[in-house]
Amino acid sequence: DAKTTQPPSMDCAEGRAANLPCNHSTISGNEYVYWYRQIHSQGPQYIIHGLKNNETNEMASLIITEDRKSSTLILPHATLRDTAVYYCIVREYMNYGGSQGNLIFGKGTKLSVKP
Amino acid sequence: DVKVTQSSRYLVKRTGEKVFLECVQDMDHENMFWYRQDPGLGLRLIYFSYDVKMKEKGDIPEGYSVSREKKERFSLILESASTNQTSMYLCASTGVDEQFFGPGTRLTVL
């Protein structure tokens, strides 16, 4: 079972920041928070991951609360192409070998960016 | 650009046919995965492989088998396709920080 809770859907105006929340109250100390997204009819795409510090890359920012029980993915200037289902996933750090590469996807948040 | 490719985007087969879904990655990854995705159920792991000729069952392996003869290629086999195997099939391989997915194969079994 997925260890995360996300709202089923959200809307965002084009050009505005999209803030997608995720609750992961049972996260353990060695588990990371990963975010992926899936645009319609495509395979999922990695966005970002973090442990406890805030992270930023060219796609998004990840804000993790101090108690690590929740996080927020921020798309700073959403475009129509950001319309997708966004998945928040909690798991141990990916490394080689065994089943540790498996991702457990929940139902995600369907983000609709509107003009 | 790194890539995971799948042999077909769309496939239509008849019940009882043997179906091969091919996946190739060009990143020299050791771990490769096959998922299926169905509305309301999310992604479910069918099989994975962590090395050539090595395979492990995922959560829903029944009705499927896999083959990994070369590092870059991971094949999913439906021995006798059934209508309940109509689904989107996604292949993935794992790098250091992320899992790379292919574009998916939408399989319809009539």
Side-chain angles (χ1 to χ4, degrees), chain B residues 2-104:
Chain B
V2 295
K3 272 194 176 165
V4 178
T5 57
Q6 296 183 227
S7 50
S8 306
R9 289 302 307 272
Y10 300 93
L11 208 53
V12 179
K13 295 291 182 181
R14 298 205 174 274
T15 302
E17 279 193 81
K18 190 168 186 176
V19 182
F20 292 88
L21 302 182
E22 304 285 341
C23 174
V24 177
Q25 50 96 2
D26 65 359
M27 297 164 279
D28 202 35
H29 288 163
E30 292 175 349
N31 291 0
M32 295 186 74
F33 305 82
W34 275 106
Y35 295 89
R36 65 176 282 178
Q37 185 174 29
D38 302 287
L41 296 177
L43 273 76
R44 293 180 291 168
L45 181 65
I46 304 171
Y47 266 97
F48 65 95
S49 169
Y50 52 90
D51 202 351
V52 174
K53 296 191 186 296
M54 305 302 287
K55 61 185 179 186
E56 296 248 0
K57 293 179 180 179
D59 299 320
I60 50 164
E62 295 78 21
Y64 304 94
S65 62
V66 290
S67 172
R68 184 104 181 262
E69 296 296 320
K70 294 185 178 180
K71 191 175 186 180
E72 67 270 19
R73 188 180 298 269
F74 191 34
S75 302
L76 180 70
I77 303 154
L78 286 66
E79 296 290 343
S80 177
S82 63
T83 54
N84 63 11
Q85 293 178 308
T86 291
S87 186
M88 168 71 91
Y89 289 87
L90 289 158
C91 174
S93 70
T94 301
V96 174
D97 286 334
E98 60 185 281
Q99 194 158 102
F100 295 88
F101 284 84

